[in-house]
Amino acid sequence: KAGVTQTPRYLIKTRGQQVTLSCSPISGHRSVSWYQQTPGQGLQFLFEYFSETQRNKGNFPGRFSGRQFSNSRSEMNVSTLELGDSALYLCASRAGSLLENYGYTFGSGTRLTVV
Amino acid sequence: DQQVKQNSPSLSVQEGRISILNCDYTNSMFDYFLWYKKYPAEGPTFLISISSIKDKNEDGRFTVFLNKSAKHLSLHIVPSQPGDSAVYFCAASGGSNYKLTFGKGTLLTVNP
């Protein structure tokens, strides 16, 4: 069973540019969440999508956005990149039922460097 | 405001001994707690979880203890192995909110 796939693995962008990251969840998983990991802040929740709807959003500026497609694949976009956006962006998926284990499965992440 | 705290940034133990990683939380709405393990350049891997209706959950060498009155949980690894060396994250979730709130992690080093 394939895991959570994130592309690209590494990305270097210039300040002011925008970037789109992609996540393919485990087959059958309808919930996709995004997290930002930085050395100082640990893992911080960005947003969660379930069946193409954003179900929850973290405390990030509007420059951070996302979407989910009908096949559950998800993308997140960061516009007007700032140096502080340099981080590991992690995608996680789970089946999504209220009664099921909360154990999310994470991808390996996309390492974004803003220069 | 950090709702999940892992106060020890690092921990070093000898192979074969017990590793105890601690986590404190402040939000009374949290009712599900998880531990993740992370190697460099990889995503976190789910280890073990516990619901607030329990005070202990065991899976092989890993046991998680929950003390709700103290808002404290701990992960015990017995016996510790060099392959356990990684960053361990405590996470919590609660109510109808599906997001995970993570601690900042503890780097465990198991020395041979």
Side-chain angles (χ1 to χ4, degrees):
Chain A
K1 189 175 185 181
V4 177
T5 304
Q6 291 188 247
T7 56
R9 284 298 306 273
Y10 302 94
L11 206 48
I12 299 176
K13 288 286 188 178
T14 305
R15 265 184 309 174
Q17 286 187 311
Q18 75 162 15
V19 67
T20 299
L21 311 181
S22 179
C23 172
S24 294
I26 290 174
S27 178
H29 283 194
R30 294 188 294 164
S31 168
V32 173
S33 298
W34 289 88
Y35 290 81
Q36 181 197 65
Q37 186 188 10
T38 56
Q41 297 298 321
L43 279 89
Q44 292 191 291
F45 173 77
L46 280 155
F47 24 66
E48 184 198 12
Y49 287 87
F50 182 82
S51 295
E52 301 179 67
T53 301
Q54 187 180 88
R55 192 157 61 173
N56 210 343
K57 191 177 191 306
N59 297 322
F60 279 81
R63 300 185 297 108
F64 292 81
S65 62
R67 59 178 174 168
Q68 187 180 32
F69 302 95
S70 58
N71 62 358
S72 293
R73 192 177 70 85
S74 177
E75 289 180 347
M76 70 162 278
N77 185 278
V78 188
S79 62
T80 320
L81 283 166
E82 301 176 359
L83 295 178
D85 297 333
S86 296
L88 179 67
Y89 289 88
L90 292 159
C91 169
S93 77
R94 66 185 186 99
S97 166
L98 276 172
L99 299 177
E100 289 180 338
N101 191 300
Y102 277 19
Y104 287 80
T105 301
F106 281 83
S108 296
T110 294
R111 171 72 63 184
L112 172 65
T113 302
V114 182
V115 297
Chain B
D1 175 30
Q2 207 179 339
Q3 298 185 64
V4 178
K5 297 179 184 179
Q6 294 177 256
N7 292 319
S8 299
S10 63
L11 175 67
S12 183
V13 300
Q14 285 300 119
E15 180 178 6
R17 307 295 285 268
I18 184 171
S19 295
I20 300 177
L21 297 102
N22 294 303
C23 178
D24 298 294
Y25 62 96
T26 58
N27 190 337
S28 300
M29 295 299 294
F30 289 149
D31 58 9
Y32 207 89
F33 304 89
L34 307 89
W35 284 94
Y36 282 84
K37 173 181 175 181
K38 187 179 184 301
Y39 294 115
E42 293 184 15
T45 303
F46 171 71
L47 265 179
I48 191 169
S49 63
I50 188 167
S51 162
S52 60
I53 63 173
K54 296 184 175 180
D55 55 18
K56 177 182 173 182
N57 189 23
E58 201 169 349
D59 184 2
R61 296 187 298 116
F62 302 91
T63 302
V64 56
F65 295 92
L66 175 62
N67 182 333
K68 281 181 293 184
S69 60
K71 293 191 174 66
H72 176 84
L73 64 155
S74 61
L75 174 67
H76 292 210
I77 306 174
V78 183
S80 301
Q81 300 172 353
D84 296 330
S85 298
V87 177
Y88 288 77
F89 290 96
C90 169
S93 181
S96 59
N97 189 330
Y98 294 99
K99 78 172 189 179
L100 294 179
T101 300
F102 282 86
K104 293 190 177 182
T106 297
L107 173 62
L108 173 65
T109 303
V110 181
N111 302 302

